[in-house]
Amino acid sequence: MVSLVLAAANVCAVSAEGAQMPETAGITETVDDADSTTVTDADAAADTEEFSDQSAAVQAPDDQSGSQAAEADSIAAEKAGAEKTEADSIAAEEAEAEKTEADSIAAEEAEAEKAEADRLAAEEAEAEKTEADRLAAEKAEAEKAEADRMAAEKAEAEKAEADGIAVERVEADRLAAEETAKSERAARPIGAMICNCGYVMEIYTKGMSDEESAAWDAHCMEHLLKGEDDSYSDISYENDENNGDGGNAGDSSGSGNTGSGSGNGAGSGSSSGENLKSGWNQVNGTWYYYSGGRPETGWLKLGKTWYYLNGSGAMQTGWLKLGKTWYYLNGSGAMQTGWLKLGKTWYYLNGSGAMVNRDTRINGVLHRFNQNGVWTGTNP
């Protein structure tokens, strides 16, 4: 009996600890040899059931406490899960906010950096454009200055060439006139200039040639330099064949050299009594220029002005054509150069006075003229 009680107590102790209860079937234990009793399986089973009921009665409060603990654990677990979820949510929101703020700051910084880079690039591009424009303007100005200089040099060269041609032509006309005068010159003097000092200069050309006038002026200048009087008288020799070859005309006082028709013997003298004309003289409304008593012909330069006198010595005005070249002489007979406006029509006369009748560059600008010399405008 004692062994059964111990066995039951062991079972209860094991059940209380939640351990698996051992099987009791076929367990026999001998406590005391003197009072030993053999326990059968049936008895053991009965005893085990009895103690199981008792153990169940004892164990019921422990199961209730375990349920409460489990419920508390479940509530705590749920609370902990909720708190963790809330904490995770807050942490995620804070992380998202921090990321959004960081992204916003990064975007603002990137935008500011881009704006600064764009500003610097724009300033640099503007500076480069300004410098390029300045260099282009300097280059264009230099090219224009060079073109103007070359055009001026060319125009000057063309003018010098035209002036040279004009001078050569005038000189040629003068030489031709001199040759003509020489061919018309008599074989003997036709007159003489007599200075009060006794100097006599014979004249071989009607009205005196340029050389004769220059020689006489040089002689008179000698007196002027000495402060002496340069008065003179002039005589004209008679070339009348009726008087023979000998007698020369007298001077203005009527006295002269004597001679016969054959050169010997007495002769009579006479004098024209006229002073030689000089400078401008108007005859019957027409102007002539006399030098040493004779009218000049051809081109005549007085000071810086050119005039043209025809074959009779009459001064020309208006349009004048010599060869294939046209000239224009104003109302005073002066040859015109440069721009000329007649009515509503413009003409251009170069440095030699020749009318321009083809496209010509004037002061660097190309002007257009038709074959009649009429200005039609500038080239585009």
Side-chain angles (χ1 to χ4, degrees), residues 154-170 306 325 327 335 337 348-356 358 360:
K154 182 179 179 182
E156 185 66 22
E158 291 176 349
K159 181 178 182 300
E161 183 179 359
D163 291 345
I165 293 173
V167 170
E168 290 177 357
R169 183 192 41 140
V170 172
W306 285 97
T325 304
Y327 302 86
M335 182 187 74
T337 60
Y348 188 80
L349 310 165
N350 63 23
S352 67
M355 182 192 73
V356 173
R358 61 183 178 181
T360 302

Side-chain angles (χ1 to χ4, degrees), residues 80-98:
E83 290 176 352
K84 183 176 182 301
T85 300
E86 179 69 14
D88 291 343
S89 176
I90 292 172
E93 289 179 357
E94 291 177 351
E96 182 66 22
E98 291 176 355

Side-chain angles (χ1 to χ4, degrees), residues 268-354:
S268 62
S270 64
S271 171
S272 65
E274 294 183 2
N275 291 327
L276 300 177
K277 293 180 180 180
S278 63
W280 289 108
N281 286 266
Q282 191 175 36
V283 179
N284 297 326
T286 301
W287 285 97
Y288 299 82
Y289 188 86
Y290 288 86
S291 177
R294 72 177 179 88
E296 293 285 347
T297 60
W299 286 105
L300 172 68
K301 185 177 184 182
L302 298 177
K304 295 183 179 180
T305 305
W306 285 97
Y307 301 86
Y308 189 82
L309 312 167
N310 66 15
S312 67
M315 183 189 76
Q316 302 295 289
T317 60
W319 287 109
L320 172 68
K321 185 176 184 181
L322 296 176
K324 295 182 179 181
T325 304
W326 283 95
Y327 302 86
Y328 189 83
L329 309 165
N330 66 18
S332 65
M335 182 187 74
Q336 297 291 285
T337 60
W339 288 103
L340 172 66
K341 185 178 183 181
L342 298 177
K344 295 183 179 180
T345 304
W346 283 95
Y347 302 87
Y348 188 80
L349 310 165
N350 63 23
S352 67

Side-chain angles (χ1 to χ4, degrees), residues 4 7-8 11 21-28 39-53:
L4 291 174
V11 170
M21 294 177 59
E23 295 181 2
T24 57
I27 298 176
T28 58
V39 181
T40 64
D41 292 335
D43 293 334
D47 291 337
T48 300
E49 182 177 357
E50 180 180 357
F51 282 103
S52 295
D53 293 338

Side-chain angles (χ1 to χ4, degrees), residues 31 43 64 153-154 178 184 186 188 214 218 265 291 306 335 339 363 371:
V31 178
D43 293 334
Q64 185 176 4
E153 288 182 356
K154 182 179 179 182
E178 288 182 358
E184 294 176 352
R188 59 183 179 176
S291 177
W306 285 97
M335 182 187 74
W339 288 103
N363 295 329
Q371 62 181 1

